[in-house]
């Protein structure tokens, strides 16, 4: 399905990605995610960009525009970083949207390609571990609880509700972390590369409620980049079309008022995913790969149900049957997810897209999901904004 046509004959918004010959990922690159270090952010970002250019078989002067997702570095980080590749006069835009910063940088790049403004655009996510200050703590409002805006507390409460309503156990929730740490152990770009047993996950220090340290994502630093091109430019630029992964959906949104604590984030995921599937013209059950926001283990169970890869209440059973493992029905967080691969914020969403691209090309050595054709990268930012992308293999 390439979009729909309105009754008045005009093109609907669902087919905007088909303009300019379509939007494709030609190259990907990462700097491994790592714990905070003295490595300059310029080194992190340049490593990812150079790898993406090499992967695409392109040169820096061919890039006409860049979008840089970051949260903690400071003003004009993109320009400071990219000038080390050469001052070519390209447009540089910095994007910040919490955990979804890199995902939104990628979405802006897609828009620029689709509108025909540029045929080659860079999307880059880069971050160092910052002070973590959030705008919500500076809104001038008093709160009943000092912990009301702390993510770990919010998701611990959501976990209690989920486990009670679904009749699931703490062990079943912790099994998410076991799977994702195992996947990360196979990923050379992951911050954690050591498999964990269920006993180790449960025995790690408690953070909030039933969530232990190994069920929570680490903060750190890293970078991820993607070079996007238009379909019309693939042949002209001499690119390998068999390695160009197509972007078939790009959807963004923000929360609505919630009736029950935690419902807003879940409904946001559900709505944005549904719109992405409509745009791509596929059903959730057709996904082969799903990278989602698992900053806390319970999120994978909640969101896999909300996205529709399994039925409501089936999240824990889907995992227990092996359906969400690499080689299962739909590999969820084959990269290791935020829990295993890490969550440096700015790069995280682009790292998801890089993982899916690698998988769809059949190049995920050591962790390749068989016959992968469709993948979704879904990201939320502080539970209040969301962005979903669906990618399709070439051919």
């Amino acid at each position: 399905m390439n979009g729909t046509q309105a009754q008045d004959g005009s093109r609907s918004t669902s087919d905007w990605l088909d303009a300019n010959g379509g939007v494709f990922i030609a190259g990907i690159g990462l700097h491994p995610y790592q714990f905070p270090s003295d490595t300059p952010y310029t080194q992190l970002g340049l490593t990812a960009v150079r790898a993406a250019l090499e992967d695409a078989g392109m040169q820096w002067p061919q890039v006409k525009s860049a979008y840089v997702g970051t949260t903690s570095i400071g003003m004009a980080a993109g320009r400071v970083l990219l000038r080390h590749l050469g001052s070519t006069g390209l447009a540089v835009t910095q994007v910040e949207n919490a955990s979804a910063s890199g995902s939104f940088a990628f979405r802006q790049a897609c828009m620029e390609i689709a509108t025909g403004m540029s045929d080659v655009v860079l999307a880059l996510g880069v971050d160092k571990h910052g002070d973590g200050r959030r705008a919500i703590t500076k809104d001038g409002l008093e709160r009943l609880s000092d912990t009301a805006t702390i993510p770990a507390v919010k998701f611990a409460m959501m976990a209690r509700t989920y486990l009670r309503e679904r009749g699931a156990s703490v062990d079943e929730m912790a099994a998410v972390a076991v799977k994702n740490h195992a996947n990360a152990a196979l990923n050379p770009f992951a911050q954690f590369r050591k498999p964990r047993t269920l006993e180790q996950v449960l025995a790690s220090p408690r953070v909030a409620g039933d969530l232990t340290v190994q069920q929570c994502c680490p903060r750190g630093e890293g970078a991820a980049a993607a070079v996007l091109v238009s379909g019309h430019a693939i042949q002209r630029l001499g690119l390998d079309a068999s390695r160009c992964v197509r972007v078939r959906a790009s959807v963004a949104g923000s929360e609505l008022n919630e009736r029950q604590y935690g419902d807003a984030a879940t409904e946001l995921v559900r709505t944005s995913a549904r719109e992405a599937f409509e745009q791509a013209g596929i059903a959730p059950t057709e996904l082969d790969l799903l990278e989602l926001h698992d900053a806390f283990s319970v999120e994978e169970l909640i969101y896999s149900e909300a996205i529709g890869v399994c039925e409501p209440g089936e999240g824990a059973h889907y995992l227990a049957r092996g359906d969400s493992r690499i080689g299962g029905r739909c590999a969820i967080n084959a990269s290791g997810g935020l829990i295993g691969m890490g969550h440096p914020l700015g790069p995280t969403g682009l790292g998801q897209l890089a993982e899916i691209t690698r998988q769809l090309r059949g190049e995920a050595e050591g962790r390749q999901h068989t016959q992968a054709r469709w993948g979704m990268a879904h990201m939320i930012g502080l539970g209040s904004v969301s962005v979903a992308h669906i990618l399709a293999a070439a051919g």
Side-chain angles (χ1 to χ4, degrees):
M1 181 182 295
N2 294 323
T4 59
Q5 192 169 25
Q7 290 183 353
D8 62 1
S10 63
R11 288 161 63 92
S12 74
T13 57
S14 64
D15 58 2
W16 65 271
L17 281 164
D18 293 331
N20 204 17
V23 180
F24 294 80
I25 300 175
I28 54 172
L30 293 98
H31 185 290
Y33 295 177
Q34 59 192 27
F35 289 98
S37 72
D38 294 330
T39 308
Y41 80 87
T42 49
Q43 182 176 333
L44 300 174
L46 291 171
T47 298
V49 175
R50 286 172 173 143
L53 289 169
E54 181 179 3
D55 183 52
M58 299 179 67
Q59 301 298 315
W60 175 241
Q62 293 176 286
V63 178
K64 301 306 178 185
S65 182
Y67 292 88
V68 181
T70 186
T71 70
S72 307
I73 296 175
M75 292 189 292
R79 180 68 195 109
V80 173
L81 187 158
L82 294 173
R83 68 184 178 190
H84 292 283
L85 294 168
S87 296
T88 61
L90 83 169
V92 181
T93 304
Q94 191 152 312
V95 179
E96 187 278 308
N97 221 351
S99 300
S101 296
S103 304
F104 274 90
F106 181 86
R107 177 170 161 80
Q108 293 299 121
C110 289
M111 291 179 180
E112 182 157 334
I113 294 286
T115 59
M117 293 175 63
S118 302
D119 280 328
V120 182
V121 180
L122 170 71
L124 169 65
V126 60
D127 248 328
K128 298 280 290 181
H129 186 72
D131 59 17
R133 296 183 66 188
R134 292 172 286 133
I136 196 171
T137 65
K138 297 184 286 184
D139 61 5
L141 300 178
E142 295 184 6
R143 289 177 172 77
L144 296 176
S145 169
D146 292 336
T147 62
T149 62
I150 297 176
V153 173
K154 175 180 179 178
F155 285 103
M157 294 176 67
M158 289 174 63
R160 285 283 174 89
T161 300
Y162 176 86
L163 296 179
R164 181 180 68 251
E165 292 182 349
R166 300 303 200 216
S169 68
V170 173
D171 286 15
E172 289 175 313
M173 180 175 70
V176 170
V178 176
K179 172 182 68 70
N180 291 350
H181 277 290
N183 291 347
L186 303 173
N187 184 353
F189 300 102
Q191 187 167 341
F192 286 136
R193 302 181 199 173
K194 182 178 180 180
R196 305 287 182 177
T197 66
L198 181 61
E199 292 72 25
Q200 289 174 323
V201 170
L202 292 171
S204 61
R206 192 175 297 271
V207 175
D210 298 311
L211 296 173
T212 60
V213 165
Q214 291 179 12
Q215 294 181 70
C216 304
C217 68
R219 281 288 308 278
E221 61 187 29
V227 176
L228 285 76
V229 300
S230 70
H232 290 158
I234 290 177
Q235 184 175 1
R236 175 171 57 82
L237 295 171
L239 305 182
D240 183 353
S242 68
R243 298 183 71 249
C244 291
V245 169
R246 188 163 190 171
V247 183
R248 297 313 307 252
S250 178
V251 170
S254 62
E255 65 183 339
L256 298 172
N257 291 329
E258 62 183 4
R259 290 170 293 180
Q260 179 177 315
Y261 186 81
D263 278 358
T266 304
E267 185 57 31
L268 179 59
V269 171
R270 180 180 295 109
T271 301
S272 54
R274 181 176 63 245
E275 292 178 4
F277 289 124
E278 290 174 355
Q279 192 176 101
I282 65 169
T285 52
E286 294 181 71
L287 281 182
D288 303 297
L289 301 153
L290 172 60
E291 293 283 318
L292 55 74
H293 187 283
D294 66 326
F296 306 95
S297 56
V298 71
E299 290 184 272
E300 182 169 311
L301 301 181
I302 294 173
Y303 301 155
S304 60
E305 297 176 15
I307 289 170
V309 295
C310 59
E311 294 297 321
E314 287 292 309
H317 300 301
Y318 194 83
L319 170 60
R321 291 194 302 264
D323 290 340
S324 60
R325 298 180 184 274
I326 296 172
R329 291 176 59 186
C330 176
I332 300 179
N333 288 326
S335 66
L338 280 61
I339 286 176
M341 185 172 178
H343 185 26
L345 297 184
T348 305
L350 270 162
Q352 293 178 322
L353 290 154
E355 173 67 18
I356 292 175
T357 298
R358 202 180 305 277
Q359 290 277 353
L360 293 178
R361 289 172 170 177
E363 297 174 355
E365 185 176 351
R367 63 183 192 283
Q368 181 64 51
H369 186 66
T370 56
Q371 298 180 327
R373 301 295 301 168
W374 291 94
M376 170 184 276
H378 194 289
M379 200 66 186
I380 60 173
L382 290 175
S384 58
V385 298
S386 71
V387 57
H389 290 98
I390 294 178
L391 307 182

